[in-house]
Each structure stands twice: as structure tokens, then as C-alpha cells.
Amino acid sequence: MNNIYMPHLAEIKEIIDESPDTRTFRLKFKDGDTADRFEFKAGQFAEYSAFGDGESTFCIASSPTRKEFIECSFKVFGKVTQALHRLNRGDTIGIRGPYGNWFPLDELKGKNLLFIAGGIGIAPVRCVIDNVLDLRNDFKDLTIISGARSVSDIIYKQEINVWKDRTDIKTIITVDPGGETPSWDGEVGFVPAILEKTAPSPENTAVILCGPPVMIKLTIPILTNLGFKDEEIFTTLENRMKCGLGKCGRCNIGNVYVCKDGPVFTYAQIKRMPQEF
Ligand SMILES: Cc1cc2nc3c(=O)[nH]c(=O)nc-3n(C[C@H](O)[C@H](O)[C@H](O)COP(=O)(O)OP(=O)(O)OC[C@H]3O[C@@H](n4cnc5c(N)ncnc54)[C@H](O)[C@@H]3O)c2cc1C
Ligand code: FES
């Protein structure tokens, strides 16, 4: 019988040091069959193991349309992320997944998309952006507002430069007040303030919003004031998880399993949950 907790083995093909505390692993499954069968959608997550130290939950940061590698980006936080951070190119990690639901890109075709990200929340958003760019003609105007604590905390600098160079995306990068350098030419201010200043139109526009709970909490009222509907605001919940597939009950909010029913929810769904942001 198959053990549902058995991870697939993947080799770290490349390590990208995104910022002093955040790394991206570019991963390739060791078994060709797994690589062929590993289908996922933007917004899904996986459990990544550092053998002997445990598992951590990260979104799949690469786009499902770019199949050469699976990528995850993680911020060093506790035991497992420290262990993952000690690994080198050529080392092996475990991956279980893909788990959870996804951003409903099929339903969002024909719309403008507003991406709002803060901190490591840019990881799931980057997956959706790259997915959308590979299906560019299916979507209308694209706007990205992404914030980091300081210039050195900005991750995905390479991708951001690609987005900025494109004339068909409006890309706004901001750092928290005090986090700028003398040569910084982006915005300075917290993400909700920059959103308010930018004042994007809600007309035919869906929002993909990921970041720390405090950012989400302060951003939603601004979106609401601008006229965005609760059903058009999609975000992810990052409750602590263990099994990732609806067995252990670690991630529940009331009768909602964040790992299985989420992690992607509309703000309309989140408002109906016992514990909001
Ligand atoms: C669906 C989902 C997607 C995620 N995607 C990413 C991602 O792409 N990149 C990334 O860096 N992180 C992501 N996270 C958060 C990440 O899972 C945790 O920060 C990470 O597992 C911490 O691992 P650790 O073993 O180093 O810390 P641990 O040693 O396990 O924990 C250290 C401390 O932090 C607490 N803690 C750990 N995780 C959480 C959590 N999720 N919520 C509240 N408290 C927590 C623990 O209880 C403990 O007190 C995601 C989480 C979820 C649920
Ligand atoms: S993480 Fe185990 S039920 Fe959700």
C-alpha cells in the first residue's frame, strides 16, 4: 500500500540567495516518473523535508507552466528552515504534495489582475504572475504592488527586473519607511499606503493578495473603500500545518481545513469564518 506521507526525493539543482534570510531552491525530482506526474496549479503548496529535522510547508513558487524545475522560496525561521538553509547544491530533500486548492485562473480570464504582496508573500504571487505571463493574452491589465521591509529584503530581484522591463505590466515596488538606500528609486511606504496612493480601479479587476496577516488586515479596508468586492479578493491563509492533506486537524478554523479547503480563499469566505484577520 502507498504511504501517503512518503516524500518524493528531489535534488537541489541550484540555490539562489534572494536576501540575507531567504533562499530559493531550484529542485528536480530524482525519479523521472514523479517529475512527469507532478502536476500542480498556482497557489498550491507542498511539505518539504530536511531529513532528520522535519517538514516545513511552503508554496510552490514556480509556475506550473514552467516545468523544468520546481522552486520553493523559504525564509529562515525555525528548526526545519535552518536545516534546509544548511544544505548545498546536489543535496537531496523530500517533497510531499501538491496539496490544497489554487487561484481560479480559469475563472479570472478576461479580467484585470491586481497583485499585492508583502515579504515572503511574494512567493505564491510570483507563481501566479509567471503563470499569467505565460497565458498573457487571456488577461487584461496587470498591476503588481509588492513591499519589503528594506531594499536588502526584496526577493526575486531578477524577476522584478523582468516585470519592470515589460510595458504590459505596471510594477510598483515599495520598502518600509527607513528601509530605503540613497540609490533606491522605488516607493517608500507600507503596502496599504502605496495601494491607497495608486488607487487602482476595481472595474473588472480581481485581486491576488498575499503577505503577513497585519498587511492583509490593513489592506482589505482600502480595497473595500476603492470598491473591490469581497468575492474578487483572493488571499491565502498560512495556518500552521502538519499533514497538509486533511488528516491531523492542525490547521482547522471551525470546520474549515485550511490545508484541504484552502489555502486560497476569497475575502467573502474568510469573513464567514470564526476567526478573521
Ligand atoms: C500554505 C502555506 C504556505 C507557506 N508558504 C511559505 C513559503 O512559500 N515560504 C516561507 O518561507 N514560508 C511559508 N509558509 C510558512 C512556513 O510554513 C513556516 O514559516 C515554516 O514552516 C517555519 O518552519 P520552521 O520549521 O523553520 O519553524 P518551526 O521550528 O516549525 O517553528 C518555529 C516557531 O514558529 C511557529 N510557526 C511555524 N510555522 C508557523 C505558521 N505557519 N504559523 C504560525 N506559527 C508558525 C512554530 O509554532 C514555532 O513557534 C507557508 C505556510 C503555509 C501554511
Ligand atoms: S494540516 Fe493536517 S488537517 Fe490540515
Side-chain angles (χ1 to χ4, degrees):
M1 202 175 96
N2 279 345
N3 180 344
I4 53 173
Y5 297 106
M6 183 73 81
H8 301 294
L9 301 182
E11 185 181 331
I12 303 171
K13 289 290 186 186
E14 210 175 313
I15 295 176
I16 301 154
D17 278 316
E18 305 279 4
S19 75
D21 64 6
T22 302
R23 253 187 183 176
T24 296
F25 281 169
R26 197 160 274 175
L27 301 158
K28 200 153 191 140
F29 288 109
K30 292 193 143 185
D31 166 5
D33 269 4
T34 306
D36 291 342
R37 277 188 277 111
F38 193 86
E39 294 285 337
F40 66 97
K41 295 198 173 176
Q44 288 195 285
F45 67 91
E47 294 293 330
Y48 300 81
S49 36
F51 296 115
D53 286 289
E55 290 183 314
S56 256
T57 312
F58 311 134
C59 72
I60 301 170
S62 47
S63 166
T65 48
R66 304 182 187 185
K67 288 180 184 276
E68 200 185 343
F69 300 103
I70 296 286
E71 289 183 354
C72 69
S73 301
F74 61 94
K75 191 169 170 148
V76 177
F77 196 68
K79 185 176 168 223
V80 180
T81 44
Q82 280 167 19
L84 288 169
H85 199 261
R86 286 194 293 271
L87 298 178
N88 296 305
R89 193 147 70 113
D91 285 344
T92 298
I93 68 162
I95 303 182
R96 287 194 292 121
Y99 296 136
N101 69 350
W102 47 84
F103 293 99
L105 285 185
D106 282 342
E107 291 165 33
L108 301 180
K109 285 181 179 169
K111 284 188 177 286
N112 307 312
L113 297 179
L114 169 61
F115 299 97
I116 306 176
I120 190 71
I122 186 74
V125 171
R126 174 229 180 172
C127 169
V128 191
I129 293 172
D130 285 346
N131 196 161
V132 164
L133 290 179
D134 290 342
L135 304 169
R136 185 65 188 90
N137 292 339
D138 289 341
F139 300 91
K140 295 221 158 89
D141 295 346
L142 306 180
T143 304
I144 300 167
I145 300 177
S146 181
R149 271 181 314 198
S150 70
V151 173
S152 68
D153 286 310
I154 297 172
I155 70 165
Y156 300 144
K157 292 186 179 75
Q158 217 177 312
E159 288 80 357
I160 287 172
N161 285 334
V162 171
W163 302 338
K164 277 182 165 171
D165 282 347
R166 290 183 64 137
T167 51
D168 61 343
I169 315 173
K170 184 173 181 183
T171 305
I172 300 165
I173 309 297
T174 185
V175 296
D176 292 353
E180 68 272 33
T181 55
S183 60
W184 174 243
D185 60 356
E187 292 281 350
V188 177
F190 295 108
V191 165
I194 300 302
L195 169 68
E196 199 162 31
K197 181 172 140 188
T198 310
S201 164
E203 182 76 31
N204 190 33
T205 304
V207 184
I208 311 278
L209 167 66
C210 298
V214 64
M215 184 200 97
I216 295 179
K217 187 176 177 170
L218 296 173
T219 299
I220 284 177
I222 293 167
L223 288 168
T224 306
N225 282 344
L226 289 168
F228 288 90
K229 296 191 202 90
D230 294 348
E231 300 75 22
E232 301 279 22
I233 301 171
F234 296 85
T235 189
T236 54
L237 293 181
E238 296 207 343
N239 290 35
R240 187 101 169 105
M241 292 183 185
K242 194 166 174 67
C243 70
L245 34 70
K247 304 280 181 203
C248 72
R250 174 74 77 97
C251 66
N252 291 60
I253 304 176
N255 59 3
V256 174
Y257 286 81
V258 174
C259 65
K260 208 166 55 124
D261 304 320
V264 177
F265 296 95
T266 64
Y267 184 52
Q269 290 171 311
I270 289 174
K271 270 170 101 172
R272 292 195 290 271
M273 292 179 189
Q275 162 211 324
E276 273 184 51
F277 289 110

